[in-house]
Amino acid sequence: MRLRELLRDLSILHTNVDLDTEITGVSYDSRQTRPGDLFVAVRGFESDGHRFIPMAFSKGAAAVLCEEPPAEGAYVQIADCRLGLALASRSFFGYPAKEMTMIGLTGTNGKTTTSYLVRHMLEKELGAKVGLIGTNGIMIGDESLHSERTTPESYELQKLFRQMADAGCTHVVMEVSSHSLALERVAGIEYDVGLFTNLTQDHLDFHGTMEAYAEAKRKLFSQCRIGVLNRDDPWCGFMLKGATCSVLDYSTESNAAGLVAKDVRLSASGVRFAAVYGHELALCRLAIPGMFSVYNALGVLGVGLTLGLTLQQAADALSSAKGVKGRVETVPTDGDYAILIDYAHTPDALENVLKTLRDVTRGRLIAVFGCGGDRDKAKRPMMGAIAAEYADIAIVTSDNPRTEEPEEIIREILEGMKDKHGHTKVICDRIEAIHWAIDNARSGDVILLAGKGHEDYQIVGHEKHHMDEREIVADYLRERKRT
């Protein structure tokens, strides 16, 4: 591909290279650069790609895309290399997103569950082959791939789109994280539908304020054709400021919304409600308990409606949907007590799942939870207070401590648990904490393992260690049986 074709969507400030130069690849990691590549010098948080321009040239880069011209070598100067990487990658892979129906989901909670439900709906009602990108990983139809991030870097993202399109995918359902929006990973993608679930505190270590966090999220609604938004969320109005899309909102509280849930029934086995859209009415069932499931279901129905399904078709699809790994996931036990695994790692998510379980627990509600290191510290005492309020026993333990001391993270969680009536226990080792919860479970108790969800690892320092809570429970139950 000629360089001018690769950079057709970018505003060039200055260049010393012939734009008819043939480019054979794009790279942003100098270690991966190959002869003929365009190396993009992206400024990161730990290192600046401009420092590695000499290494990229030594690896055979044909030119570099940069914000500051190098002392020597062929370069193209632009204002923003993150944007440049996204748009150049899009060009390099031939605008693959344009070949599929693109559905982007953003919000703090509910994205993963909703994405799987939308995928199920599209497969069942449209016979679609769906590409899925999100926290639980990547799927191309039935093929599963691993992913380090909720939303991959723009080059990997465009490469994935090309793989999906070439594999015959007709639709892509993807979680669009606030990081990806702020860091231009999804720049240049035109979504057919953008969905907003809700906004509660998370990622303030990166964004700084809730306003900045919301500002990143709402960028999606200037990149989509139709927006489907949760009208009941306090941030909904903020999301719509500057939006360029048409809007379908949903609600359980306001009849003024385009899609409304009425006669909501909650039970331990799931939710049921009547969905109303104009003159259409359909009974909707979803086998995932909790009021948050009503909102997730409404979001899915809204996406279905914008893609041409009838309300009844979308509701029928939800009625046959199963749960999602790590989202109120039931784990087998050896007695009359229950163990559930949930990804709840924000104050709102933890409160939602604990309130849901509180309503269906015959015995005691035991919460095993912690908070991640190197992440938003402000939410730690908040989560401690929530666990102490709703759980009969709150076991504070380690999550992914990363480079922080687990004991210090726990100390900050405990600050929010002072003067609370619930019983609090500290067991720093997460495996020991799970063992203790099992050993002390009584008939009718519910044990919630919160925070890890689908993850099968624990991050200590900069290293990942295998840790799958399903395996921990199963192994310990077998060990108890032997003894």
Side-chain angles (χ1 to χ4, degrees):
M1 176 180 285
R2 294 179 187 272
L3 183 57
R4 71 170 70 253
E5 296 170 352
L6 191 65
L7 305 181
R8 72 184 72 175
D9 300 320
L10 292 169
S11 297
I12 297 173
L13 300 178
H14 190 264
T15 183
N16 68 351
V17 63
D18 181 356
L19 293 180
D20 285 326
T21 298
E22 192 68 25
I23 300 295
T24 56
V26 176
S27 64
Y28 61 95
D29 183 338
S30 59
R31 295 167 297 183
Q32 306 298 322
T33 299
R34 293 179 292 187
D37 276 4
L38 173 69
F39 174 72
V40 186
V42 175
R43 297 188 191 278
F45 295 101
E46 296 181 0
S47 62
D48 183 348
H50 290 76
R51 290 175 47 210
F52 301 100
I53 289 176
M55 180 183 290
F57 279 132
S58 73
K59 292 288 190 72
V64 299
L65 193 64
C66 56
E67 295 170 20
E68 296 178 9
E72 57 183 8
Y75 72 87
V76 177
Q77 183 184 12
I78 60 172
D80 184 348
C81 278
R82 287 192 177 277
L83 178 63
L85 178 63
L87 300 187
S89 298
R90 182 181 68 170
S91 296
F92 182 75
F93 288 107
Y95 298 77
K98 290 183 178 295
E99 300 173 27
M100 300 173 286
T101 298
M102 302 295 298
I103 302 156
L105 288 65
T106 201
T108 306
N109 301 312
K111 297 188 300 297
T112 299
T113 298
T114 303
S115 69
Y116 274 78
L117 294 174
V118 169
R119 172 176 175 258
H120 172 78
M121 175 181 66
L122 296 174
E123 291 176 337
K124 183 176 184 297
E125 297 300 326
L126 297 180
K129 183 171 183 178
V130 182
L132 185 74
I133 302 171
T135 308
N136 274 21
I138 296 164
M139 298 192 75
I140 301 178
D142 294 327
E143 180 188 0
S144 296
L145 305 175
H146 178 69
S147 176
E148 293 291 333
R149 295 168 169 158
T150 297
T151 312
E153 185 54 81
S154 57
Y155 176 83
E156 282 75 22
L157 193 57
Q158 294 294 336
K159 183 178 180 181
L160 271 172
F161 291 159
R162 174 45 60 203
Q163 288 178 259
M164 290 174 175
D166 289 350
C169 288
T170 56
H171 295 69
V172 174
V173 182
M174 63 178 291
E175 298 178 46
V176 185
S177 68
S178 59
H179 289 71
S180 71
L181 286 157
L183 299 175
E184 305 288 10
R185 290 180 198 155
V186 295
I189 301 172
E190 297 175 5
Y191 293 94
D192 294 275
V193 185
L195 170 65
F196 169 66
T197 60
N198 51 63
L199 196 80
T200 60
Q201 184 170 328
D202 198 16
H203 301 307
L204 296 195
D205 55 302
F206 176 78
H207 295 287
T209 66
M210 284 296 293
E211 287 72 20
Y213 180 35
E215 185 72 43
K217 292 283 190 186
R218 78 175 176 186
K219 287 177 69 175
L220 179 62
F221 301 100
S222 60
Q223 288 182 233
C224 67
R225 181 173 57 86
I226 303 175
V228 178
L229 294 97
N230 176 4
R231 184 188 180 104
D232 295 344
D233 190 89
W235 289 93
C236 182
F238 186 92
M239 290 294 133
L240 290 173
K241 290 179 181 177
T244 57
C245 58
S246 58
V247 173
L248 170 62
D249 57 359
Y250 59 89
S251 174
T252 67
E253 301 171 1
S254 172
N255 290 330
L259 175 63
V260 181
K262 294 180 177 292
D263 191 24
V264 175
R265 306 290 178 89
L266 308 177
S267 71
S269 60
V271 300
R272 187 178 74 173
F273 61 91
V276 181
Y277 174 67
H279 297 296
E280 293 184 69
L281 185 147
L283 179 63
C284 184
R285 295 184 177 88
L286 180 60
I288 305 174
M291 190 63 191
F292 55 87
S293 289
V294 177
Y295 283 100
N296 289 344
L298 283 170
V300 176
L301 294 176
V303 170
L305 289 167
T306 62
L307 294 178
L309 296 179
T310 66
L311 185 61
Q312 190 62 58
Q313 285 176 312
D316 287 345
L318 278 180
S319 296
S320 63
K322 302 295 188 291
V324 177
K325 183 179 180 181
R327 271 64 179 178
V328 201
E329 177 187 353
T330 302
V331 178
T333 68
D334 61 352
D336 182 27
Y337 64 97
I339 299 178
L340 299 172
I341 294 175
D342 193 83
Y343 190 50
H345 64 288
T346 67
D348 183 65
L350 184 62
E351 181 174 0
N352 281 337
V353 72
L354 285 174
K355 287 171 72 173
T356 295
L357 297 179
R358 178 81 279 164
D359 292 338
V360 298
T361 299
R362 292 186 292 111
R364 300 169 304 167
L365 180 54
I366 303 170
V368 179
F369 79 105
C371 290
D374 302 334
R375 296 295 186 268
D376 182 8
K377 293 186 177 184
K379 70 182 183 182
R380 294 173 184 174
M382 297 167 64
M383 291 180 67
I386 288 165
E389 179 177 354
Y390 292 103
D392 297 294
I393 302 175
I395 305 172
V396 187
T397 187
S398 188
D399 191 282
N400 291 320
R402 297 184 177 88
T403 64
E404 289 192 65
E405 290 297 326
E407 292 81 5
E408 178 60 21
I409 297 173
I410 290 172
R411 187 193 66 76
E412 293 179 4
I413 293 171
L414 293 174
E415 285 295 315
M417 306 179 82
K418 293 177 179 178
D419 304 319
K420 299 292 182 181
H421 298 298
H423 177 67
T424 301
K425 188 171 183 65
V426 175
I427 305 177
C428 189
D429 185 284
R430 194 173 183 96
I431 296 176
E432 290 182 13
I434 294 171
H435 290 176
W436 188 93
I438 293 172
D439 285 338
N440 288 274
R442 303 173 187 167
S443 177
D445 285 356
V446 172
I447 299 170
L448 172 68
L449 308 182
K452 300 292 291 174
H454 62 283
E455 294 177 353
D456 58 3
Y457 57 83
Q458 184 177 49
I459 304 175
V460 181
H462 295 288
E463 295 184 1
K464 281 186 177 181
H465 304 271
H466 182 74
M467 177 186 283
D468 188 322
E469 294 183 328
R470 298 150 200 81
E471 295 175 5
I472 292 169
V473 171
D475 290 347
Y476 192 56
L477 294 180
R478 279 194 295 270
E479 180 183 325
R480 290 207 318 174
K481 192 174 182 179
R482 286 196 299 268
T483 57

